[in-house]
């Protein structure tokens, strides 16, 4: 049996702590067989601390999205690259632990437009996520990261 302890600390739609995220998502998928799983992460720098948020967005097509999330605060890394890569890593880590439950799309808060600084990580992030067997998308199409996770790290 896989150790899903990496999924600890998630909060549900009614602000309840979810003890077993894997079982929660599995039950949701059984209730919504046409549902889709999206995972996204974002961060906000607050002085010398970075608040990271990871969101699991469960989309019941035609009915809306149910979201669960986890926040964590870590010391501010030395550069933007490290902070953004941590966002990608957090989303991938969660997706890896849920992959047995269905197709997962990982959304990254990294811009596909070269005019933005975050673009420096776009190709590497999309390539890594895709190589693991997940669908991947970045800004402007990464709503699980830029909306779901974003509101949780503000």
């Amino acid at each position: 049996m896989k150790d899903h302890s990496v999924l600890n600390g998630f909060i549900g739609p009614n602000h309840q702590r979810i003890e077993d995220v894997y079982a929660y998502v599995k039950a949701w998928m059984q209730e919504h067989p046409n549902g889709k799983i999206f995972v996204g992460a974002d961060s906000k720098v607050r002085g010398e601390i970075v608040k990271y948020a990871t969101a699991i967005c469960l989309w019941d097509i035609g009915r809306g999205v149910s979201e669960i999330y986890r926040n964590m605060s870590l010391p501010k890394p030395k550069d933007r690259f490290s902070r953004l890569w941590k966002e990608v890593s957090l989303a991938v880590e969660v997706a890896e632990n849920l992959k047995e439950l269905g197709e997962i799309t990982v959304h990254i808060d990294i811009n596909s437009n070269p005019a933005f600084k975050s673009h420096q990580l776009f190709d590497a992030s999309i390539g890594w996520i895709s190589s693991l067997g997940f669908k991947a998308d970045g800004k402007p199409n990464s709503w699980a990261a830029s909306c779901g996770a974003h509101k949780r790290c503000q």
Side-chain angles (χ1 to χ4, degrees):
M1 175 104 184
K2 191 167 188 170
D3 175 20
H4 296 291
S5 62
V6 72
L7 299 174
N8 289 345
F10 276 80
I11 305 296
N14 298 319
H15 307 290
Q16 80 279 21
R17 183 174 183 82
I18 299 174
E19 296 301 325
D20 187 341
V21 172
Y22 185 87
Y24 180 94
V25 175
K26 183 177 181 179
W28 189 92
M29 289 300 290
Q30 288 171 340
E31 282 182 40
H32 307 90
N34 294 321
K36 296 187 180 281
I37 304 169
F38 294 82
V39 178
D42 196 8
S43 65
K44 177 78 172 181
V45 177
R46 297 176 178 270
E48 292 303 311
I49 299 293
V50 177
K51 183 177 180 183
Y52 292 93
T54 307
I56 301 170
C57 299
L58 306 169
W59 183 21
D60 185 8
I61 299 171
R63 296 184 180 223
V65 173
S66 177
E67 176 186 291
I68 62 176
Y69 68 95
R70 171 182 66 195
N71 288 332
M72 67 173 60
S73 294
L74 297 172
K76 180 182 172 184
K78 62 184 181 329
D79 55 41
R80 177 190 316 265
F81 175 92
S82 299
R83 179 176 57 84
L84 293 174
W85 194 253
K86 180 67 174 177
E87 289 178 19
V88 175
S89 298
L90 288 169
V92 166
E93 183 178 61
V94 169
E96 279 284 317
N97 278 270
L98 297 175
K99 67 183 176 185
E100 298 164 0
L101 299 178
E103 183 178 84
I104 297 175
T105 302
V106 177
H107 281 176
I108 56 173
D109 196 41
I110 295 176
N111 213 302
S112 61
N113 184 337
F116 292 88
K117 290 180 182 177
S118 68
H119 180 74
Q120 66 180 338
L121 284 174
F122 186 80
D123 291 338
S125 300
I126 295 293
W128 180 40
I129 294 164
S130 299
S131 76
L132 295 172
F134 302 112
K135 290 185 176 181
D137 217 341
K139 284 181 175 178
N141 302 313
S142 57
W143 54 267
S146 57
C147 294
H150 176 80
K151 70 182 172 189
R152 304 299 180 178
C153 66
Q154 295 306 302

